[in-house]
Amino acid sequence: MEQLSLIGPAPSAARTLVDDASGRIVYQPELVPAPECAAWFAALRDGIEWQHERRPMYDRMVDVPRLTAGFDCTGPLPPAIAAAKQLVEARMGLRFNSVGLNFYRDGNDSVAMHNDRTAELLPRSPVALLSLGETRVMRIQSKARPRRAIKLALEAGSLLLMAGAAQEHWEHGIPKAREPVGARISLAFRQRPRANETV
Ligand SMILES: O=C(O)CCC(=O)C(=O)O
């Protein structure tokens, strides 16, 4: 199923960050042209019913420091998500059945270091993160010590692909920004296991 080559011309060369037994992590800048990035960002920012989740941490409930939303791709999708999914799938030669959205309103919003829960993914299936809006820095680090660490600026229109065993061996997160920064939206495309369905 996994096929990482781009279909059609890519405006900028992909950068392979990791490609070994621990997984494959590839950064593709400029996957989406700037006009689509701007249109999809505005449509999602203004048109999605964003959730402000609260989660237990130790003995109290805390705000999740970003807004979130999620869609099962077997049902109808907002047009901007359907268009983004179509472009990502065509470019990457992959299919996805789920998309999770994160809205980082400013530099105070973040996501802690984590890996995607492998029980909620098809075994060793790829996860593709599409970035819209302002650039934010992602930290990627190996679980094994001594840690290998990568700092990556996720630019608008870029796609970060984490494939193979990457979720087993690597963590990723977006720390709060030190400098003022505007809003960013990410779309995380995934292949979720479902009864009687292949993607
Ligand atoms: O916003 C991003 O690019 C990262 C999102 C993420 O790590 C997640 O949804 O699990």
Side-chain angles (χ1 to χ4, degrees):
M1 166 77 230
E2 187 188 329
Q3 184 187 329
L4 301 179
S5 58
L6 290 168
I7 295 170
S12 218
R15 277 167 49 202
T16 300
L17 307 172
V18 176
D19 189 12
D20 56 28
S22 73
R24 182 164 161 81
I25 304 180
V26 179
Y27 180 67
Q28 172 62 64
E30 298 175 13
L31 187 82
V32 180
E36 277 82 1
C37 282
W40 294 348
F41 178 85
L44 296 174
R45 179 195 57 203
D46 302 336
I48 294 286
E49 207 172 299
W50 293 101
Q51 308 294 314
H52 198 175
E53 294 177 83
R54 286 173 65 77
R55 288 190 186 150
M57 183 178 278
Y58 304 112
D59 56 352
R60 60 201 174 98
M61 296 294 284
V62 295
D63 285 336
V64 169
R66 62 191 182 284
L67 305 182
T68 58
F71 294 87
D72 177 343
C73 300
T74 54
L77 291 172
I81 298 180
K85 177 174 180 288
Q86 192 179 22
L87 188 149
V88 168
E89 289 183 337
R91 284 272 182 188
M92 305 308 291
L94 294 167
R95 297 288 306 280
F96 298 98
N97 61 13
S98 158
V99 57
L101 280 78
N102 292 289
F103 183 10
Y104 305 84
R105 293 156 291 181
D106 58 31
N108 284 318
D109 279 353
S110 60
V111 61
M113 296 302 294
H114 68 286
N115 61 269
D116 287 17
R117 291 190 197 95
T118 49
E120 295 174 9
L121 298 172
L122 283 179
R124 299 209 163 168
S125 58
V127 175
L129 297 175
L130 178 65
S131 292
L132 303 174
E134 291 290 312
T135 298
R136 290 292 299 263
V137 173
M138 172 175 271
R139 183 178 166 88
I140 301 171
Q141 68 185 26
S142 65
K143 295 185 189 179
R145 291 170 190 269
R147 284 201 198 277
R148 282 194 279 165
I150 300 164
K151 257 182 162 180
L152 181 67
L154 298 175
E155 301 151 307
S158 70
L159 192 86
L160 182 72
L161 189 79
M162 297 181 280
Q167 302 301 332
E168 292 156 47
H169 297 289
W170 293 85
E171 294 180 319
H172 58 279
I174 297 191
K176 293 184 191 309
R178 288 174 203 264
E179 306 295 331
V181 64
R184 168 179 182 264
I185 292 173
S186 68
L187 293 84
F189 294 99
R190 299 186 175 93
Q191 297 176 351
R192 303 260 192 223
R194 292 177 208 289
N196 305 321
E197 190 195 333
T198 54
V199 291

